[in-house]
Amino acid sequence: MRILASFIVWQAAIQAASEGVCSSGLEPTQVCKTMVSECTDALHQVVRTADTYFVELSTRDERVRARLEACLRHRWITARVRIFGSSASGLRIGHSSDVDLCVTLPPHEMRTAQHKKKSIYAIAAIMENSMQNGSAAWAYGKMEKIAHARVPLVKCLDLHDGVNCDIVPGAEVAVHNSALLAAFCAQQPLCRELILLVKLWASRRRLNSARDGGLSSYGFALTCIHFCLAGTSPPLLADLLSPDKAAEDVSGGGSCHGFDVRYRRRNVPPPPSHLPSPSTKLPLELSSLATGYFEYLLTHWQEDVLSLRPHASGTYRFRKAEWRHAGKKSTAANRLSIEDPFETAGSHTPHDVGRTLTAEAFAGLKEEWMRAVELLRASMSAATAEAARDAIAELICPKPPVMPVSAPKWAKQATGRRVDDDGNAYTALEFLEYYGYGPEVAKRWKQAAPEPRDEAEVLVVKPEATHARDEARDEAELHLRALTAKLEAVHLDHGGTFGDVPAPASAPARSAMGDAQHDGRRRSRGRRGGPRRAPQLAAVAIAEEHSRYG
């Protein structure tokens, strides 16, 4: 109901603007065009900022790839390493993005899924042995072997260039996927800008962690391309995956691991090696395209699977009931479902890219879709340019970190910050994000020293309950001193000194007095009776002494 109500409010606002209602008092058409332009300029600035490293990091990635290939060829002379993912498709959104590396090994090493898992340990062992042998050509750290995931991989840090790497043996289909995304983006720069914007938005809003039940960055890119194929009129992109592949412009190499990875070039030039020029002169503005993208997802996720291929219905969607996952019942009914471009519903192992979404994460994703539409609408209908840019800044503002569900128990229970060997202080969540989820991370966290605290900066404030308890204690101590003085006076009046009373006659009194003093010392620990019991024991001691000398 909240989503529907918000959508109705936004539609009413846009209708009011079209009828001439404008808060600024200016001509509505002029104001709307100006604000849309301001919104678009702000979005382009966001995209340019995210895309700054496109050229700079290409050379670095090639160095990382060549080093790993040379290292692995010490065992497999025919080993080949290729870059895939955002580094290959040109859809990287920042300097800290990982480099995804596909390792192609001899066929006998990759016959079955079990062989792939074994290759994970073999690759890691070769990298570790190369460093132990004293070779300065290779240096890797933070190595983590993930052999039991759907896609087994080795995560590590290339110490020469300081970049995190995901090494995946047998990921040739992913290499073709990256080339396909680059071909789609090369058709229309506006599509690429939409993908970069959405990926940056998803990253800032912490929506792109498949490990924690979210949607992968690859999944967000597929939804953007699907929208440019099926959600705009006319389509912003041409079909590259038509079943008819008889033309000469087919690329992809045919079959790969049993999947048809061919796609049409459509006479599209190769992806540019330089930053694309801003597409502000295109008829369709980026602001309108982004708003339409989020609205499209809100209305088309319920019953259909989103695809990049035209299906029997003539659209780029098909019913979720047609999904099959190795004979298992699909879980796509209550979440977003996306068909992989090559591992399709009709292939031997269909791949639903949205299957990583949990119910909780998808509920949060829908809320973020609605929030994005609201802010984009607010930006385009803002009264001033500053308000328009503020709305875009709020759209991509970072979401506060939250401990993920998949975090280990020790991380959820950890408090404070700890300093690693490099002198950097981390919370448990930051430690996981930097060092990963490997079993050795818990040991590393325990060995890290707690962050020292500056005593001058620590302000101790006692609560009211503590003040009241301290006042009661002070009052009881004063009362106890007075009774002690009276007890000593009784002794002096009868010719004795305090504490010099002959036993056994004075034993009860001395015992009572000792209990009084002992209880006075321990009264702040919550013993039954509290600080009031000490004066009572002293009074008993006085009475006993009076009776003794009476």
Side-chain angles (χ1 to χ4, degrees):
M1 292 299 295
R2 177 183 174 186
I3 293 176
L4 180 60
S6 301
F7 186 74
I8 292 175
V9 170
W10 295 323
Q11 293 298 325
I14 298 302
Q15 181 66 24
S18 64
E19 293 176 356
V21 179
C22 185
S23 59
S24 64
L26 302 176
E27 288 293 330
T29 304
Q30 179 183 358
V31 171
C32 288
K33 286 183 178 180
T34 302
M35 291 304 106
V36 169
S37 178
E38 287 289 342
C39 178
T40 300
D41 290 343
L43 291 175
H44 278 303
Q45 181 60 39
V46 169
V47 171
R48 285 192 292 270
T49 302
D51 198 34
T52 303
Y53 305 104
F54 182 79
V55 177
E56 175 188 345
L57 299 183
S58 298
T59 305
R60 184 204 67 180
D61 295 344
E62 177 57 27
R63 290 197 305 267
V64 173
R65 184 207 66 79
R67 272 196 298 267
L68 179 62
E69 186 174 82
C71 179
L72 297 180
R73 284 187 175 181
H74 278 73
R75 173 169 176 176
W76 300 291
I77 192 62
T78 60
R80 184 183 180 189
V81 178
R82 285 177 288 179
I83 300 173
F84 70 96
S86 60
S87 302
S89 61
L91 298 175
R92 194 198 321 255
I93 60 171
H95 189 278
S96 60
S97 299
D98 297 350
V99 177
D100 299 316
L101 300 168
C102 166
V103 177
T104 303
L105 299 178
H108 67 274
E109 297 279 1
M110 306 294 292
R111 288 195 299 269
T112 64
Q114 192 64 27
H115 282 85
K116 284 187 177 182
K117 292 180 180 180
K118 290 182 178 180
S119 68
I120 293 297
Y121 298 101
I123 291 172
I126 294 171
M127 297 167 67
E128 291 171 349
N129 292 337
S130 299
M131 293 185 293
Q132 292 174 359
N133 292 336
S135 175
W138 307 290
Y140 299 100
K142 295 169 50 182
M143 195 168 298
E144 179 183 359
K145 299 175 282 291
I146 305 176
H148 300 286
R150 178 187 177 274
V151 180
L153 74 156
V154 177
K155 300 178 74 70
C156 69
L157 173 68
D158 184 297
L159 298 178
H160 282 290
D161 284 297
V163 58
N164 291 307
C165 304
D166 290 346
I167 304 171
V168 187
E172 289 79 14
V173 176
V175 174
H176 292 290
N177 274 327
S178 301
L180 176 65
L181 296 189
F184 272 118
C185 293
Q187 290 188 56
Q188 176 55 266
L190 191 58
C191 173
R192 182 173 180 272
E193 293 178 357
L194 175 65
I195 296 175
L196 290 173
L197 174 64
V198 170
K199 287 185 64 176
L200 180 64
W201 163 81
S203 175
R204 294 282 185 87
R205 304 303 297 172
R206 297 183 177 272
L207 302 170
N208 61 343
S209 176
R211 181 201 292 263
D212 300 322
L215 184 64
S216 65
S217 296
Y218 173 59
F220 281 108
L222 293 182
T223 59
C224 292
I225 294 176
H226 167 83
F227 172 70
C228 291
L229 287 167
T232 60
S233 181
L236 197 62
L237 297 175
D239 170 32
L240 299 184
L241 293 169
S242 175
D244 180 17
K245 301 182 178 66
E248 295 180 356
D249 60 351
V250 171
S251 180
S255 178
C256 178
H257 296 300
F259 300 104
D260 187 355
V261 295
R262 293 176 294 171
Y263 60 91
R264 287 180 174 272
R265 289 187 181 276
R266 293 287 187 188
N267 296 321
V268 173
S273 58
H274 58 278
L275 295 179
S277 59
S279 53
T280 52
K281 296 182 179 180
L282 292 171
L284 186 61
E285 298 283 359
L286 180 58
S287 56
S288 302
L289 189 67
T291 306
Y293 163 79
F294 290 113
E295 291 180 343
Y296 179 89
L297 291 180
L298 282 168
T299 57
H300 288 88
W301 71 265
Q302 292 92 339
E303 297 181 356
D304 295 331
V305 178
L306 309 186
S307 175
L308 305 190
R309 293 176 177 271
H311 286 264
S313 60
T315 65
Y316 292 90
R317 299 188 299 271
F318 62 93
R319 293 294 182 181
K320 291 183 177 180
E322 300 178 28
W323 263 125
R324 64 175 183 84
H325 297 284
K328 299 180 181 180
K329 184 179 179 181
S330 173
T331 60
N334 299 317
R335 58 163 173 79
L336 178 67
S337 183
I338 308 165
E339 182 189 41
D340 187 88
F342 298 133
E343 299 175 67
T344 61
S347 64
H348 58 88
T349 53
H351 179 203
D352 182 358
V353 180
R355 68 188 308 175
T356 59
L357 282 166
T358 61
E360 181 181 1
F362 184 57
L365 179 59
K366 288 188 291 184
E367 290 291 332
E368 290 292 339
W369 284 342
M370 296 304 302
R371 176 180 177 275
V373 175
E374 179 179 7
L375 291 172
L376 286 168
R377 292 295 190 192
S379 178
M380 291 189 291
S381 59
T384 63
E386 183 179 0
R389 293 184 177 277
D390 288 344
I392 298 301
E394 186 178 353
L395 172 68
I396 59 170
C397 70
K399 190 175 183 178
V402 178
M403 185 66 70
V405 178
S406 62
K409 185 177 180 180
W410 66 264
K412 296 178 180 178
Q413 296 176 346
T415 58
R417 298 165 66 89
R418 299 206 173 191
V419 181
D420 64 359
D421 297 337
D422 298 329
N424 300 316
Y426 300 94
T427 63
L429 178 58
E430 294 168 346
F431 204 79
L432 282 177
E433 291 179 345
Y434 185 76
Y435 285 101
Y437 285 69
E440 72 283 355
V441 177
K443 182 178 180 181
R444 186 190 292 265
W445 171 263
K446 291 180 181 179
Q447 293 175 345
E451 182 182 25
R453 301 184 65 185
D454 187 356
E455 296 293 339
E457 296 179 358
V458 180
L459 179 63
V460 180
V461 180
K462 295 183 179 180
E464 293 183 2
T466 304
H467 283 294
R469 186 182 63 195
D470 292 346
E471 291 176 359
R473 181 192 62 193
D474 296 340
E475 182 181 355
E477 286 181 351
L478 291 174
H479 193 189
L480 182 60
R481 290 196 194 100
L483 291 176
T484 303
K486 289 181 180 179
L487 181 60
E488 186 174 2
V490 172
H491 280 279
L492 294 175
D493 290 343
H494 292 83
T497 58
F498 187 71
D500 192 23
V501 183
S506 64
R510 293 176 63 184
S511 175
M513 197 63 224
D515 288 344
Q517 294 173 343
H518 178 71
D519 194 75
R521 287 193 298 268
R522 294 191 58 189
R523 57 190 169 274
S524 62
R525 301 184 183 180
R527 183 175 175 178
R528 177 174 293 182
R532 300 179 183 276
R533 188 165 179 260
Q536 293 174 359
L537 292 175
V540 171
I542 292 173
E544 288 181 351
E545 291 300 302
H546 275 294
S547 63
R548 178 179 175 227
Y549 292 104

